[in-house]
Amino acid sequence: MKKYKHFKGGIYEWVCNATLESDPSVQMVVYRSANGTIWTRPESVFFEEIEHEGQKIPRFALIESSDS
C-alpha cells in the first residue's frame, strides 16, 4: 500500500492505475481520501511538481510504501 501527502496536507491512499477510456494514451491514478472518497487524476498531474510558497514541490509526496 502506498500513501501520499497532498501539498495542502491531506493523506491519500493509492488504489490503482487506470486507462482513460476516451483516450487510452492517458494513464490515470485512482486514489482514496481518509473519508473513503475515491478520486482520479491523470498520472502526469498526480506526479507533477508545482510551485508552492516560492518552492517547487511534488503535488503528492510519497510518505509510506509497504510494497515489496
Side-chain angles (χ1 to χ4, degrees):
M1 170 180 29
K2 292 181 181 177
K3 288 190 178 180
Y4 291 86
K5 184 174 183 179
H6 188 266
F7 77 98
K8 291 182 182 176
I11 303 296
Y12 297 89
E13 179 180 277
W14 178 87
V15 175
C16 67
N17 281 38
T19 301
L20 186 62
E21 182 182 5
S22 62
D23 184 352
S25 70
V26 177
Q27 291 298 301
M28 303 293 288
V29 172
V30 181
Y31 58 105
R32 179 181 314 130
S33 65
N35 70 5
T37 303
I38 300 290
W39 299 89
T40 63
R41 280 185 197 254
E43 189 176 61
S44 61
V45 174
F46 189 90
F47 290 111
E48 77 181 342
E49 287 196 341
I50 58 155
E51 189 166 323
H52 179 67
E53 297 178 351
Q55 295 184 345
K56 286 257 186 184
I57 60 169
R59 181 181 300 276
F60 289 88
L62 182 64
I63 57 171
E64 179 182 323
S65 179
S66 60
D67 291 349
S68 299

